């Protein structure tokens, strides 16, 4: 059972989640089937992508550093040792997200466009994407997980109101038996770059 020590996480009300969401008051067991891990890709130096980047060409994008690749592998090792076995591993189409998901090594990886970055998009497109993603998460079976979603900092923040360091994110506990949705910050593992 992987439980985050209380000293390593904080929680506040999320920004765009339904009103029934509330702040976490205890550590999260990531092996429970109602847990959704929304993870920012591992360390990739810089912000955004170079002008003219293409999703079908990793050489044109901002990619994981050696430290980022190590960070993703270490995260996968820790989660495997703790028994975290997501039933779905979904990722943004960006290479740094796909590489993070593959290096974590917790199952087959599927690209899901709702997890794509919207940096530079207009507010209407961003809001529509986040609403679709929030509805998608709401419709996940709380008995069918846990779930792992690998995405970008802008998506994590717009979805939950929390910033995410590279390799960190949030956990969302899907409601079970009338309980409210809980969001908890998941700290990034430390690695040298």
């Amino acid at each position: 059972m992987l439980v985050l020590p209380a000293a390593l996480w904080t929680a506040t009300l999320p920004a765009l989640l339904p009103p029934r969401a509330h702040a976490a008051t205890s550590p999260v067991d990531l092996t429970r089937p109602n847990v959704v891990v929304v993870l920012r890709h591992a360390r990739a130096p810089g912000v955004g992508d170079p002008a003219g980047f293409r999703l079908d060409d990793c050489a044109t994008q901002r990619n994981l550093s050696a430290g980022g690749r190590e960070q993703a592998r270490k995260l996968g090792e820790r989660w495997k040792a703790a028994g975290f076995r997501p039933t779905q591993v979904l990722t943004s189409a960006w290479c740094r997200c796909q590489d993070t998901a593959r290096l974590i090594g917790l199952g087959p990886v599927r690209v899901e466009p709702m997890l794509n970055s919207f940096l530079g998009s207009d507010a209407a497109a961003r809001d529509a994407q986040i609403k679709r993603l929030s509805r998608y998460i709401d419709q996940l079976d709380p008995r069918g997980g846990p779930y792992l979603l690998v995405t970008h900092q802008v998506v994590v923040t717009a979805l939950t109101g929390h910033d995410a360091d590279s390799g960190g994110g949030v956990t969302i506990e899907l409601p079970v038996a009338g309980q409210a949705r809980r969001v908890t910050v998941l700290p990034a593992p430390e690695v040298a770059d």
Side-chain angles (χ1 to χ4, degrees):
M1 174 169 85
L2 178 60
V3 176
L4 299 174
L8 294 179
W9 57 268
T10 58
T12 60
L13 289 172
L16 292 176
L17 294 177
R20 66 183 180 279
H22 67 277
T25 57
S26 62
V28 176
D29 175 1
L30 295 180
T31 64
R32 291 183 26 208
N34 69 317
V35 172
V36 180
V37 174
V38 184
L39 185 74
R40 180 183 180 189
H41 59 78
R43 195 169 295 148
V47 176
D49 286 284
F53 80 94
R54 294 190 328 268
L55 286 181
D56 65 346
D57 185 355
C58 294
T60 67
Q61 299 177 34
R62 179 167 61 99
N63 292 295
L64 297 181
S65 64
R69 290 187 295 278
E70 178 66 15
Q71 186 181 42
R73 281 191 286 273
K74 282 187 177 188
L75 189 54
E77 289 169 7
R78 289 178 192 169
W79 282 349
K80 284 176 195 171
F84 179 50
R85 301 289 188 270
T87 59
Q88 292 183 40
V89 179
L90 306 177
T91 180
S92 160
W94 268 253
C95 295
R96 58 187 172 269
C97 292
Q98 291 186 58
D99 290 345
T100 298
R102 288 186 184 107
L103 288 167
I104 286 173
L106 292 174
V109 175
R110 188 179 92 216
V111 171
E112 174 48 63
M114 284 185 292
L115 297 170
N116 285 353
S117 177
F118 46 71
L119 190 63
S121 297
D122 65 40
R126 178 197 68 218
D127 292 348
Q129 178 180 331
I130 292 302
K131 285 178 186 174
R132 280 193 313 273
L133 180 56
S134 187
R135 278 194 307 269
Y136 176 83
I137 291 169
D138 281 340
Q139 293 171 359
L140 289 170
D141 181 354
R143 298 172 308 266
Y147 306 92
L148 175 59
L149 312 179
V150 182
T151 188
H152 305 264
Q153 181 273 323
V154 293
V155 175
V156 174
T157 300
L159 180 68
T160 68
H162 295 284
D163 287 332
D165 292 330
S166 295
V170 297
T171 61
I172 299 171
E173 292 180 76
L174 301 172
V176 176
Q179 295 174 336
R181 182 194 263 189
R182 290 183 352 153
V183 176
T184 305
V185 171
L186 183 67
E190 293 294 323
V191 294
D193 212 4

